[in-house]
Amino acid sequence: MSESVTIRPLHRDDYPTLIDLVRRAWYDDFDERTGFIAAQVDWENCLARATNAYTAVKDGKPVALILGRIDARDMRGIWNRHKSRYVHGLMRLLGMREGLRAVHEIVGILAIDHTLLSRAKRSGHDYAGEVVLFVLDPEARGYGLGKRMFRTMMDDFRKSGLRNFFLFTDTTCNVGFYEHAGLSQVESITISTSKHHRESMSFYLYEGEVPEASNR
């Protein structure tokens, strides 16, 4: 697959396919409409933070996405059009049957992420870069595409002079991928089952050093 897939900057036309990929990855336990809107909300919040975006395309279809943030490149301020769409999407969810659970999940995870980052900073960790979102179609796994996508973002980080970066992840993701890539777990939080969380979950903050050169 590595020879038949093109990695390129994200295009606006890629959005619907990639939003559905986000839905299938994290919101598949909602009805399809609620799940898609929840994925849109998550998507817009990620784009509100991202400065660098790449997608992998196979046979004309996006099959992977990585979003990164380089603080020095973001001149938009906290409030931008993606943040506005994020808030509008939350309001739409509140009017839907399963929407309140979706809002609780999205906002709750963001609060957990904020807590993890605050803890890391209080213990002396500081970052000027973030891998905001990294998602791969299950059908595209096992071919080294994830490594290629990650190296592409690392190249951007390195060229921008970043020395280290962080990312959030949880037990629904392949945390072993990040450990194999040399990242270290800095903080974690585990939440119990509840009416909003059907299974206990652990959330993590990982940090990594930007490689000096990409080994392709």
Side-chain angles (χ1 to χ4, degrees), residues 8-29:
R8 59 159 172 74
L10 176 68
H11 295 170
R12 182 65 180 81
D13 291 345
D14 301 329
Y15 285 20
T17 301
L18 292 170
I19 291 171
D20 190 59
L21 179 56
V22 170
R23 179 191 67 81
R24 288 185 283 121
W26 291 296
Y27 300 99
D28 200 34
D29 60 331

Side-chain angles (χ1 to χ4, degrees), residues 116-131:
L116 291 171
L117 186 57
S118 295
R119 286 182 183 177
K121 288 184 175 180
R122 284 198 300 269
S123 61
H125 300 268
D126 194 20
Y127 312 100
E130 176 188 3
V131 175

Side-chain angles (χ1 to χ4, degrees), residues 29-47:
D29 60 331
F30 294 93
D31 67 78
E32 187 170 353
R33 182 166 178 265
T34 303
F36 190 79
I37 294 174
Q40 283 183 311
V41 171
D42 199 341
W43 171 265
E44 293 294 347
N45 186 59
C46 289
L47 288 182

Side-chain angles (χ1 to χ4, degrees), residues 23 29 77-78 83 185 198:
R23 179 191 67 81
D29 60 331
I78 296 175
K83 186 64 74 173
Q185 183 187 131
R198 296 172 179 174

